[in-house]
Amino acid sequence: MEHRIINTVLKTMVFAGIVILMQSCYNDNVEDLYPQAPACDTNNVTYANTVWPIINTNCISCHGGQFPSGNISLSDYSAIAAAAKNGSLLSAIRHEDGWSPMPKGGGKLSDCDIQKIEIWVNAGSADN
Ligand code: HEC
């Protein structure tokens, strides 16, 4: 009699253990356990569709208009391309030593936005 009770208790415990194990595995979803930043899409980087929107959103408030901050205008292609060619654009947004970090007083641009601008500059900062 006692044997049977112990047997039943043991079986129940093993069964419960398996259920618990299965449930813990069920919830182990790679995306949930290791959340990743969405991939950065660096295909088809262009001035008009990629670079200008980033500058327009993050820089023009200071570097646009008649009296741009630091006397540096970034309000059109030729001005932005000039900053790209003299190295100041990338150095400032990468927060490199010796340069004033941009956007001034704001957070650094996202790694993805910086990467896109790097691609555009390194490809020759074309107007397309
Ligand atoms: C809140 C105003 C503000 C914003 C926004 C801003 N800047 Fe500036 N920027 C300045 C000022 C002011 C200077 C002059 C240097 C200084 O005072 O730090 C400057 C200087 C610069 C320089 C020259 C840096 C150097 O060390 O010679 C570059 C290049 C530049 N900005 C690019 C950008 C870019 C690109 C963005 C957007 C990603 C941006 N800035 C956003 C205010 C701003």
Side-chain angles (χ1 to χ4, degrees), residues 48-117:
N49 293 327
T50 318
V51 176
W52 170 248
I54 297 172
I55 303 271
N56 193 22
T57 304
N58 300 287
C59 320
I60 284 304
S61 55
C62 295
H63 293 286
Q66 226 181 328
F67 303 104
S69 294
N71 215 11
I72 295 168
S73 173
L74 297 175
S75 55
D76 58 22
Y77 167 76
S78 60
I80 296 169
K85 295 210 160 82
N86 71 23
S88 62
L89 180 63
L90 285 184
S91 299
I93 63 172
R94 285 171 175 161
H95 295 188
E96 287 176 7
D97 285 350
W99 296 86
S100 191
M102 294 293 140
K104 194 178 179 73
K108 206 178 179 184
L109 294 180
S110 70
D111 287 347
C112 186
D113 281 349
I114 293 174
Q115 217 177 314
K116 289 173 179 172
I117 293 178

